[in-house]
Amino acid sequence: DFLLYIFGILSTRNSGYPKQLKLSLAESKKLQQPLALIAVDLDNFNMINRLYGAAESDHILQLICQLLLLNLRDEDLICRLAGDRFVVLLNNTSEHDAQQMSIDLQNAVSSFAYRTREHHQRVYLSATVVTTMARTDDSDSLIKRLNLEISKTRQQLSNAT
C-alpha cells in the first residue's frame, strides 16, 4: 500500500490511524474543544482505476493526498479511510470553519488538473465531501456516522439529477 505513511497521511492499515482518532476524541473531550471530521470521497474513482490501471490510480491518489494537505493547516491530520476515501481530523475547529474547509477541499479536487503519464489523457475528478462534529461518539460510531453522511449526501445528489 502506497500510503502506509507518506506526507503525514495515515492509512487504516496503519495502526496509527485508529489510535490517532481515539487520541483526538479524548483530547477534545478533556479540553472541551470541538473536533470536526471531514470525509473526502472521490467520485467514480473505480472507473479511473479500470481505465488507467492500478499504478496510474495510485499515482493520482498520491497527488490528491498532496493537494489535500496543501489545503489543510499544519495541525490537521488526513487519514486514508478506504481506497478512495479520506478523513481529515480537525482539532479545535468549529462546525462553521470545518464547513468552509470542506468547501475548499471539494473545490481543490474539482480544480485538479492532471494528464495520465502514459497516454497524456486529461483526468477530471470530483468528490463528495461531508463534515461532521464529534459529539459523544466513540471512534467507531463517529466513522460509521461519517460514512452514513456520505451515503446520504450521494443519495441526495443522485435524486437531484
Side-chain angles (χ1 to χ4, degrees):
D1 191 285
F2 76 93
L3 274 181
L4 285 181
Y5 188 82
I6 184 168
F7 301 112
I9 300 163
L10 297 174
S11 170
T12 54
R13 295 186 181 107
N14 179 335
S15 61
Y17 161 66
K19 182 179 180 182
Q20 185 60 49
L21 179 56
K22 288 176 184 173
L23 288 171
S24 293
L25 282 167
E27 182 178 344
S28 154
K29 288 175 186 172
K30 178 182 167 188
L31 299 176
Q32 297 182 342
Q33 294 176 338
L35 174 65
L37 276 78
I38 299 174
V40 178
D41 190 24
L42 300 176
D43 299 328
N44 302 313
F45 196 78
N46 57 345
M47 182 176 64
I48 290 171
N49 197 24
R50 283 194 312 268
L51 287 172
Y52 305 113
E56 190 75 59
S57 295
D58 284 351
H59 182 66
I60 292 170
L61 285 172
Q62 289 173 3
L63 295 173
I64 289 295
C65 290
Q66 292 173 37
L67 176 69
L68 294 174
L69 279 170
L70 288 171
N71 286 277
L72 296 174
R73 305 169 301 188
D74 290 342
E75 63 269 20
D76 299 332
L77 180 70
I78 185 167
C79 308
R80 185 175 180 196
L81 184 61
D84 58 359
R85 186 174 294 176
F86 302 90
V87 174
V88 180
L89 304 177
L90 306 167
N91 288 307
N92 197 21
T93 304
S94 70
E95 189 166 7
H96 176 268
D97 290 345
Q99 289 287 349
Q100 184 58 53
M101 196 171 296
S102 70
I103 292 168
D104 293 345
L105 294 176
Q106 189 168 34
N107 288 338
V109 170
S110 52
S111 299
F112 178 68
Y114 180 77
R115 292 196 179 273
T116 60
R117 293 179 289 186
E118 188 174 334
H119 300 290
H120 307 289
Q121 293 176 309
R122 177 74 162 89
V123 174
Y124 296 92
L125 294 176
S126 63
T128 300
V129 180
V130 298
T131 304
T132 194
M133 299 300 292
R135 308 275 184 226
T136 58
D137 304 273
D138 63 17
S139 58
D140 291 337
S141 67
L142 186 57
I143 292 300
K144 184 176 183 178
R145 188 159 51 91
L146 197 61
N147 284 327
L148 287 172
E149 282 295 317
I150 291 170
S151 297
K152 182 175 140 185
T153 301
R154 283 190 183 267
Q155 185 64 39
Q156 290 170 344
L157 291 172
S158 68
N159 289 343
T161 55

